[in-house]
């Protein structure tokens, strides 16, 4: 009852955020992971895909299986759903990971480039006039995750595939390091940075001992310095995010030094960085960045995957998801993210009946906030941390309505600490405090902060 009453109160508070003029919309798709080996056999009793690791797939159907990466029918259905739902977006963000979870020896450069080419082709075919800002994933190279900090054949060939989407200057930096920057929609005052964060992946043996692979941090600092000078507003796009995986305690992605440098970049330029958009997790979550005094200064949105593949990461339970695609609504004057609308395919229903892409939720409705600003996302985090109804709602969204089990105290701790603390030391302290207390001390501080900010509305 307490949660219901608070929802009603916040609904009244959020009315002022509705009806805003000049709202733009763009798609974010990520982690398509096309499995070119997916084949249905009579009775579906055996493995139908290499990405299942030879596990039986008795429930497999036309649109896939939770043990497998995406068959072509699922890829096609997802992009056609985008065309049906929002046929004329302002732009599309595509954050990579296009090839399946199979051993390197089952792929090779030619197959990797072929898969990326096929996905590029269907997007261009259905959205021929739409600008696409596309980032490399760790599965968009051969061997996977070993993306180099120097020019190479794969970067060059992908640059050719994406040539229509890239400005001339972007093509040059992409070939050299897999990253680029452009004026967002070629508009003065708006900018996008598309990063190759695979260079910071702790599984990348090539870059592990480097201080600044491909000089990307130096380049980003220079671009953001110039952007601040010109009073530009900036979106940052990438594949692998900093911080920790919310479904496995202590599971990090960046090396320690790279993680620290990324956080410092956001803190230094948070006044102009209006949004961060990443993938890789296959889950629906977000990450908060705070000032030294604890004020929320930036939010990173982690969009769920198209692939339903159940992760083989040890210790992760129910690590699959329903396929998802996402629309961001934003203020065309400020780039502020006003809302997030996620659409999904119930894979079980699709295989039995038909492919029906439907709205899963709208952020402002589900969490009763006026927008998706850092202050509002901090409020969402505190609701998840302290109110069970919001925790369970978020937990269902996290797997795109695949895992609807109860998120217990340990589960809550894993998710909340991962969302709140991107820094390594702060995360470890959050987990440590939470393990010895029913309400982590760090989260209690955050809750008090959120109460004071609510009062300012």
């Amino acid at each position: 009852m307490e949660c219901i009453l608070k929802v009603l109160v916040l609904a009244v508070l959020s009315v002022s955020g509705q009806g805003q003029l000049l709202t733009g919309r763009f798609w974010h798709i990520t982690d398509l992971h096309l499995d070119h080996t997916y084949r249905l056999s009579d009775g579906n009793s055996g493995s139908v895909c290499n990405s299942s690791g030879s596990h039986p797939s008795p429930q497999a159907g036309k649109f896939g299986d939770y043990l497998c990466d995406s068959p072509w029918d699922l890829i096609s259905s997802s992009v056609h759903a985008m065309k049906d739902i929002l046929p004329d977006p302002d732009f599309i963000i595509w954050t990579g990971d296009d090839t399946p979870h199979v051993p390197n020896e089952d792929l090779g450069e030619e197959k990797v480039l072929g898969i990326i080419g096929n996905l590029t082709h269907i997007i261009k075919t259905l959205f021929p006039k739409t600008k696409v800002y596309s980032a490399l994933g760790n599965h968009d190279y051969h061997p996977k995750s070993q993306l180099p900090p120097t020019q190479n054949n794969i970067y060059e060939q992908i640059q050719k595939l994406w040539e229509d989407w890239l400005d001339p200057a972007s093509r040059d930096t992409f070939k050299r390091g897999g990253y680029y920057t452009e004026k967002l929609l070629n508009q003065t005052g708006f900018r996008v940075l598309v990063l190759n964060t695979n260079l910071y992946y702790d599984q990348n043996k090539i870059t592990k001992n480097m201080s600044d692979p491909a000089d990307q941090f130096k380049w980003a600092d220079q671009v953001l310095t110039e952007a601040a000078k010109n009073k530009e507003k900036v979106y940052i796009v990438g594949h692998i995010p900093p911080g920790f995986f919310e479904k496995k305690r202590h599971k990090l992605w960046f090396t320690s030094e790279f993680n620290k440098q990324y956080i410092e970049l956001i803190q230094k330029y948070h006044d102009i960085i209006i949004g961060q958009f990443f993938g890789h997790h296959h889950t629906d979550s977000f990450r908060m960045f705070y000032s030294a005094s604890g004020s929320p200064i930036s939010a990173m949105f982690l969009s769920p995957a198209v692939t339903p593949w159940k992760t083989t990461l040890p210790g992760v339970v129910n690590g699959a998801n329903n396929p998802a695609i996402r629309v961001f609504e934003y203020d065309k004057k400020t780039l502020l993210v006003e809302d997030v609308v996620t659409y999904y395919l119930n894979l079980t229903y699709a295989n039995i009946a038909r492919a029906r892409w439907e709205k899963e939720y709208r952020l402002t409705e589900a969490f009763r906030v006026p927008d998706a600003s850092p202050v509002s996302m901090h409020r969402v985090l505190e609701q998840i941390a302290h109110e069970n109804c919001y925790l369970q709602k978020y937990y269902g969204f996290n797997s795109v309505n695949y895992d609807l089990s109860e998120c217990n105290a340990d589960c809550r701790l894993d998710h909340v600490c991962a969302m709140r603390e991107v820094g390594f030391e702060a995360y470890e302290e959050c987990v440590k405090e939470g393990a010895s207390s029913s309400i982590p001390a760090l989260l209690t501080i955050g809750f008090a902060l959120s109460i004071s900010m609510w009062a300012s509305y």
Side-chain angles (χ1 to χ4, degrees):
M1 177 60 72
E2 180 184 352
C3 184
I4 295 174
L5 290 174
K6 190 162 289 185
V7 164
L8 293 174
V9 171
L10 291 175
V12 174
L13 291 175
S14 65
V15 168
S16 62
Q18 299 174 0
Q20 294 159 328
L21 301 176
L22 296 174
T23 295
R25 293 172 178 83
F26 65 87
W27 280 110
H28 183 189
I29 53 171
T30 191
D31 295 89
L32 278 69
H33 288 287
L34 172 62
D35 189 340
H36 56 291
T37 70
Y38 192 95
R39 298 287 186 278
L40 288 178
S41 57
D42 293 339
N44 301 337
S45 58
S47 172
V48 301
C49 65
N50 289 359
S51 52
S52 71
S54 300
H55 288 95
S57 310
Q59 305 302 317
K62 176 181 179 180
F63 296 100
D65 184 84
Y66 292 111
L67 294 178
C68 295
D69 276 315
S70 305
W72 181 256
D73 283 319
L74 175 57
I75 298 292
S76 179
S77 177
S78 66
V79 183
H80 277 88
M82 292 167 61
K83 186 67 174 179
D84 291 340
I85 296 166
L86 181 62
D88 190 24
D90 295 340
F91 55 92
I92 295 172
I93 288 175
W94 176 19
T95 50
D97 259 18
D98 304 323
T99 69
H101 295 84
V102 296
N104 285 318
E105 52 266 29
D106 291 349
L107 288 169
E109 277 198 17
E110 185 176 351
K111 285 184 179 178
V112 167
L113 291 170
I115 288 172
I116 296 173
N118 287 338
L119 298 181
T120 300
H121 177 73
I122 191 173
I123 293 171
K124 284 185 175 181
T125 299
L126 292 179
F127 295 93
K129 297 180 180 179
T130 303
K131 178 77 170 184
V132 178
Y133 299 102
S134 191
L136 293 170
N138 58 294
H139 280 260
D140 300 332
Y141 195 82
H142 180 78
K144 59 189 171 187
S145 302
Q146 305 309 306
L147 284 81
T150 54
Q151 190 162 338
N152 59 82
N153 182 57
I154 290 184
Y155 288 178
E156 291 172 356
Q157 295 305 314
I158 294 176
Q159 182 271 146
K160 291 179 181 178
L161 289 172
W162 296 348
E163 192 170 38
D164 294 341
W165 297 336
L166 297 168
D167 290 345
S170 298
R171 297 169 197 164
D172 182 55
T173 58
F174 187 89
K175 286 189 293 185
R176 288 189 286 109
Y179 57 83
Y180 60 96
T181 184
E182 295 185 3
K183 287 184 178 180
L184 186 68
L185 294 175
N186 203 30
Q187 292 185 22
T188 299
F190 294 162
R191 179 162 299 279
V192 60
L193 269 70
V194 180
L195 301 180
N196 181 4
T197 54
N198 309 290
L199 299 174
Y200 310 140
Y201 194 17
D202 71 339
Q203 299 300 310
N204 191 334
K205 299 176 183 177
I206 298 175
T207 61
K208 206 164 199 175
N209 296 318
M210 295 182 176
S211 59
D212 187 8
D215 292 326
Q216 185 172 217
F217 278 124
K218 178 182 178 181
W219 167 86
D221 186 77
Q222 292 172 342
V223 170
L224 290 170
T225 296
E226 192 67 18
K229 178 182 176 181
N230 295 328
K231 296 181 170 53
E232 293 180 332
K233 303 296 184 183
V234 178
Y235 280 167
I236 292 181
V237 174
H239 178 69
I240 299 178
F244 292 79
F245 186 30
E246 71 274 7
K247 293 183 75 71
K248 181 176 174 61
R249 188 172 297 182
H250 306 303
K251 175 55 184 175
L252 50 83
W253 304 117
F254 286 14
T255 64
S256 176
E257 185 57 33
F258 293 149
N259 198 80
K260 180 181 178 183
Q261 288 187 69
Y262 186 92
I263 294 172
E264 289 174 347
L265 195 72
I266 300 302
Q267 290 176 333
K268 182 177 180 181
Y269 295 104
H270 70 87
D271 285 343
I272 63 169
I273 297 172
I274 311 302
Q276 302 176 65
F277 309 92
F278 284 73
H280 187 63
H281 284 202
H282 295 197
T283 58
D284 182 348
S285 192
F286 61 94
R287 298 293 178 266
M288 294 301 305
F289 294 76
Y290 296 92
S291 67
S293 62
S295 298
I297 56 174
S298 188
M300 172 184 284
F301 298 93
L302 305 181
S303 291
V306 170
T307 183
W309 180 78
K310 186 176 183 178
T311 179
T312 57
L313 191 64
V316 177
V317 179
N318 288 335
N321 57 278
N322 279 306
I325 52 181
R326 171 170 281 178
V327 170
F328 283 91
E329 298 179 356
Y330 70 101
D331 187 314
K332 285 188 173 182
K333 288 186 175 180
T334 66
L335 290 191
L336 172 73
V337 179
E338 296 178 338
D339 219 336
V340 184
V341 188
T342 304
Y343 297 87
Y344 82 112
L345 180 77
N346 184 314
L347 186 60
T348 302
Y349 176 85
N351 284 334
I352 295 173
R354 63 183 177 86
R356 182 182 65 191
W357 289 85
E358 54 192 314
K359 187 179 85 170
E360 183 191 19
Y361 76 101
R362 175 179 286 272
L363 177 80
T364 56
E365 292 175 351
F367 293 99
R368 301 301 180 182
V369 287
D371 51 41
S373 65
V375 170
S376 291
M377 294 312 297
H378 175 80
R379 179 191 297 181
V380 172
L381 173 55
E382 296 310 320
Q383 290 171 345
I384 294 168
H386 296 277
E387 300 182 44
N388 190 61
C389 62
Y390 282 111
L391 172 65
Q392 289 304 135
K393 182 183 290 189
Y394 157 80
Y395 189 68
F397 295 155
N398 183 251
S399 64
V400 197
N401 278 312
Y402 172 80
D403 180 4
L404 300 179
S405 63
E406 180 184 1
C407 184
N408 60 22
D410 283 339
C411 166
R412 178 183 69 90
L413 182 64
D414 290 341
H415 282 262
V416 172
C417 285
M419 287 187 283
R420 179 167 172 77
E421 304 297 353
V422 180
F424 285 11
E425 292 181 4
Y427 171 85
E428 295 296 341
E429 184 65 24
C430 181
V431 171
K432 180 181 177 181
E433 291 285 348
S436 60
S437 172
S438 59
I439 300 180
L442 289 175
L443 300 182
T444 303
I445 294 171
F447 187 61
L449 175 62
S450 71
I451 292 296
S452 66
M453 287 189 295
W454 289 2
S456 66
Y457 271 85

